[in-house]
Amino acid sequence: MANAAAGKEVAYGGEPEADSKLVTQAGDLSTMATATLSPDTMINRARTWLTANNGGPVPYSMERNWKDGYRQDCSGFVSMALGLGKPGLNTVGLATTSGVTKRLSGVSQLKKGDLLIDYSTSDGDFRHVVIFEKWANTAHSSYWAYEQRGTYGTTHRQLTYGIGSDNYDPFRPVKLSGGGSGGGGGQVPSPSVSWPVLKSGSKGADVKSAQQLLAAQGYSIAADSSFGPNTRAAVVKFQKSRSLAADGVIGPNTWSKLIRTVKSGSSGSAVKAAQTQLNVYGYKLAVDGKFGAKSKAAAVAFQKNHKLAVDGVVGPNTWRTLLGSR
């Protein structure tokens, strides 16, 4: 999750023009999303490409379609997240096709699931689009976003595109429902918010939390954020001990057995796991395994933002929302 704080990193390239066979035609009725999406559903669809390639990101390509039929560039990725016609519109199509998006008056209106699009054709072929998830800070000087970019493929990182003087403009998908808070990612999660699926090759904060939870269950494992052979072996052992399918994959059934409720006064690796997750949302806690006043305040703030029962206790519903609403 590199922080492109200056917003100047151009790790993407040209894209197919509108009349290309690789692009869904704007006049095609199948261009439109056939159903309204919640912002959380859209974000969850975007997340799938982070691990769709055998646990890794879908590689970038302007000339190839992924297994789901969508083109593997930035606008194909966004078309997939929105459920538009395959293989997907290009950036110009996303910005200008009636019934797909509407332009916002400014970045201050951004909410979860909105888009920032550089669709200018006056600066060559370097056009791009990213999916806004939430603000990274109270100053609104950067935000968390999902994007499909050259070299890296699908990524989730902090960006500043559209903030300041550049060619990025904010848009809202027409078929996106539920609105949400533009202030910190406090969008109300839909009932379908789901546990992430982790397996060999997965990386990131979710893996680190899973490793910390495994440590809380008595398994000797390093919390290195990388799902390698040692992590898989520990998962298999844990699944066998709980009479779960021992496939080494952490899915909903394994998560529900793995998590531990933590609250004021709790200590240990399960607290570290909760602190790791809260920090993903910008709470800047010391991951010290001690659930003190700051950890409770962060849990309370998170629960308020996500319309959960506000008790400062990280129980099953809070765990599921921490892990499943990004």
Side-chain angles (χ1 to χ4, degrees):
M1 296 183 183
N3 183 354
K8 297 182 182 300
E9 181 176 331
V10 183
Y12 49 91
E15 65 171 4
E17 297 300 328
D19 58 357
S20 168
K21 293 181 179 180
L22 293 166
V23 176
T24 301
Q25 302 304 301
D28 187 343
L29 291 177
S30 68
T31 292
M32 309 301 185
T34 57
T36 299
L37 292 177
S38 73
D40 290 296
T41 298
M42 179 187 174
I43 291 296
N44 283 339
R45 287 172 66 93
R47 289 183 66 185
T48 62
W49 273 28
L50 288 172
T51 56
N53 186 25
N54 295 319
V58 172
Y60 182 94
S61 175
M62 295 180 293
E63 301 175 346
R64 298 182 64 182
N65 297 336
W66 187 239
K67 299 173 184 177
D68 55 14
Y70 286 98
R71 197 175 58 256
Q72 293 169 220
D73 62 1
C74 62
S75 47
F77 169 62
V78 171
S79 296
M80 178 278 297
L82 286 172
L84 301 178
K86 302 175 183 180
L89 295 172
N90 62 7
T91 54
V92 176
L94 288 171
T96 62
T97 302
S98 176
V100 175
T101 61
K102 58 182 178 181
R103 186 168 178 172
L104 302 176
S105 61
V107 294
S108 63
Q109 293 185 308
L110 285 168
K111 297 179 181 180
K112 180 185 284 188
D114 288 342
L115 309 176
L116 287 117
I117 311 178
D118 175 2
Y119 63 104
S120 172
T121 57
S122 62
D123 56 354
D125 289 329
F126 292 95
R127 303 194 290 270
H128 196 44
V129 55
V130 301
I131 301 172
F132 177 91
E133 181 192 20
K134 60 184 178 181
W135 291 107
N137 52 46
T138 56
H140 292 188
S141 61
S142 65
Y143 55 87
W144 285 97
Y146 289 87
E147 65 177 331
Q148 183 74 359
R149 58 187 180 129
T151 305
Y152 302 95
T154 317
T155 57
H156 178 224
R157 60 176 184 155
Q158 289 185 46
L159 296 173
T160 60
Y161 301 153
I163 300 173
S165 179
D166 60 25
N167 289 329
Y168 285 84
D169 296 308
F171 289 81
R172 177 157 300 149
V174 171
K175 289 290 186 177
L176 209 60
S177 69
S181 167
Q187 171 67 36
V188 180
S190 69
S192 63
V193 168
S194 58
W195 301 98
V197 176
L198 307 178
K199 57 186 178 181
S200 294
S202 298
K203 297 180 183 295
D206 291 350
V207 175
K208 186 172 185 176
S209 289
Q211 291 167 328
Q212 290 162 329
L213 289 167
L214 285 164
Q217 298 284 354
Y219 296 89
S220 180
I221 185 171
D224 60 4
S225 305
S226 181
F227 201 120
N230 291 339
T231 299
R232 186 181 188 282
V235 172
V236 168
K237 289 180 181 179
F238 174 77
Q239 291 170 327
K240 289 180 178 179
S241 73
R242 297 297 191 275
S243 299
L244 299 167
D247 57 5
V249 176
I250 303 178
N253 292 335
T254 300
W255 277 118
S256 65
K257 299 290 186 181
L258 187 59
I259 59 169
R260 285 189 173 184
T261 296
V262 294
K263 56 186 179 180
S264 294
S266 298
S267 61
S269 293
V271 174
K272 289 183 178 181
Q275 292 168 329
T276 295
Q277 286 300 311
L278 287 164
N279 283 346
V280 170
Y281 293 84
Y283 291 103
K284 299 181 180 179
L285 298 171
V287 183
D288 57 6
K290 299 177 181 178
F291 202 111
K294 291 182 179 180
S295 293
K296 182 178 180 180
V300 165
F302 177 83
Q303 291 167 333
K304 286 180 178 178
N305 280 341
H306 291 78
K307 307 300 186 211
L308 300 168
V310 181
D311 56 9
V313 176
V314 182
N317 288 336
T318 300
W319 271 117
R320 184 171 67 91
T321 309
L322 278 167
L323 287 155
S325 61
R326 295 193 299 281

